[in-house]
Amino acid sequence: MRHSGKIGALQGLSAGPIARQAGATFTVTTPGQGFTDITRAVADFLGQSGIATGLVTVFCRHTSASLTIQENADPDVQTDLLTALDGLAPRHAGYVHGAEGPDDMPAHIRTMVTDATLGVPVVGGRLALGTWQGIYLVEHRDRPHRREIVLHALGA
């Protein structure tokens, strides 16, 4: 027997022309493997853009770090996610690509299953994130790196 959820009616529909766009970049210096909350930086960019309704795109310009939207309340979630990624793409697993060290190829695999780009709707001049959601840069390498994030917003 197949069950499916009930889909509610559309609420708060808005439509209109795209009136403005904005773009910027910032860097994140990571301490090594782990999560860095970048929500505030993205929200600050949005506030400066003047866009009240639209979309913010967040893009990580690297192949061994990624972006995710995850829970921002309990840090144990991040610990468990890192453990799961370690199980999915362990170091020293005999990868062919290893010139940059045993953490490089697993970092590429982890980026492939997470993402380099996020799109976040903008409603009322704010990121339309859920109560317990934050935007994170995930560093997959063991040593510190400087990661560049590109932002673009469009809307009205």
Side-chain angles (χ1 to χ4, degrees), residues 33 79-91 95 106 110:
Q33 184 180 21
T79 300
D80 289 342
L81 289 170
L82 289 173
T83 300
L85 289 171
D86 284 341
L88 173 72
R91 286 153 177 73
Y95 303 107
R110 294 166 191 200

Side-chain angles (χ1 to χ4, degrees), residues 113-128:
V113 300
T114 50
D115 214 338
T117 305
L118 299 173
V120 181
V122 177
V123 177
R126 298 174 57 105
L127 298 168

